[in-house]
Amino acid sequence: MSGRGRTMLLTFDDGPDPRYTPDILDTLAKYDVRATFFVCGEMADHNRDLLSRMADEGHVVGNHTWSHPLLTRLGRRRIRSEMERTSEVVEQAYGELPRWFRAPYGAWNRAAFQLGAELGMEPLAWTVDTLDWTTPGTGTIVDRVADGAAPGVVVLSHDAGGDRSQSVRALRSYLPELLDSGYHLTVPRRRYV
Ligand SMILES: [Zn+2]
């Protein structure tokens, strides 16, 4: 991460979804904040305009596989295909190959690390899980981010994969709170190329 002090990363997985991602992008734009979107290839393929918007607005797009499988159950050839196809769509729609990879369910194995590296990607996990996919209520998501806030934290939320209206509303609430608390929300940067 760049900068010093109270820096955090916001990450949104599984999208993009035209029902939720534009709202999230609107909120980020309102506060001039950049975030990281770990997209699935099959979602990105159908929503290329949203990847283009992410590029225009300075967000980082990472690779979250094509179809969100549990990689630990797949052979190397299938894992490679899941990653490669997604990187291709990201390059076409976002304009650059993704530099970051996140395994679905956080389930990495040796092949996933190796193949990701071969495709020019670094792994990026998270440290605070909002568990927003369980739709625990907007207030609970806000509380989890507020309670977990600390320098260097990587927050996991989702902008697709089900009803994510709570995730959308929660961001509208916790983002200004984090900024008021002095946090700098940023995107990951490679230390070396
Ligand atoms: Zn996911």
Side-chain angles (χ1 to χ4, degrees):
M1 288 177 221
S2 67
R4 291 173 177 276
R6 294 160 72 81
T7 299
M8 287 175 54
L9 262 62
L10 300 181
T11 67
F12 298 90
D13 287 13
D14 300 357
D17 185 321
R19 293 171 296 176
Y20 309 110
T21 309
D23 278 294
I24 287 172
L25 290 169
D26 288 347
T27 302
L28 295 170
K30 179 179 176 185
Y31 295 100
D32 195 26
V33 162
R34 250 61 66 188
T36 305
F37 292 85
F38 281 95
V39 301
C40 286
E42 64 184 2
M43 300 295 287
D45 191 25
H46 290 107
N47 298 287
R48 292 175 180 237
D49 55 322
L50 288 171
L51 268 76
S52 172
R53 181 176 169 191
M54 289 169 187
D56 289 345
E57 298 181 1
H59 302 292
V60 167
V61 171
N63 184 324
H64 196 45
T65 74
W66 186 267
S67 63
H68 209 274
L70 189 57
L71 295 179
T72 50
R73 288 188 183 157
L74 304 183
R76 290 181 71 93
R77 183 177 299 180
R78 178 81 194 286
I79 296 174
R80 175 181 271 280
S81 166
E82 285 275 339
M83 289 180 174
E84 264 180 347
R85 294 176 70 196
T86 303
S87 286
E88 282 172 19
V89 170
V90 170
E91 185 176 29
Q92 290 164 13
Y94 177 73
E96 283 177 32
L97 284 166
R99 295 178 162 204
W100 302 93
F101 176 75
R102 176 175 285 169
Y105 315 103
W108 272 274
N109 59 10
R110 183 177 292 268
F113 282 121
Q114 288 174 340
L115 291 165
E118 283 177 21
L119 294 171
M121 298 185 288
E122 298 283 341
L124 183 67
W126 61 87
T127 58
V128 170
D129 190 349
T130 63
L131 296 171
D132 59 335
W133 57 275
T134 65
T135 58
T138 303
T140 299
I141 297 171
V142 172
D143 288 347
R144 284 176 180 155
V145 175
D147 293 346
V153 155
V154 180
V155 177
L156 169 62
S157 304
H158 298 81
D159 59 332
D163 182 349
R164 299 291 173 252
S165 51
Q166 292 181 3
S167 313
V168 168
R169 287 197 297 271
L171 178 68
R172 289 186 199 133
S173 177
Y174 67 71
L175 182 51
E177 287 178 16
L178 290 173
L179 294 169
D180 285 348
S181 301
Y183 282 102
H184 176 56
L185 287 314
T186 188
V187 289
R189 297 189 202 284
R190 299 281 283 266
R191 289 183 188 165
Y192 49 86
V193 178

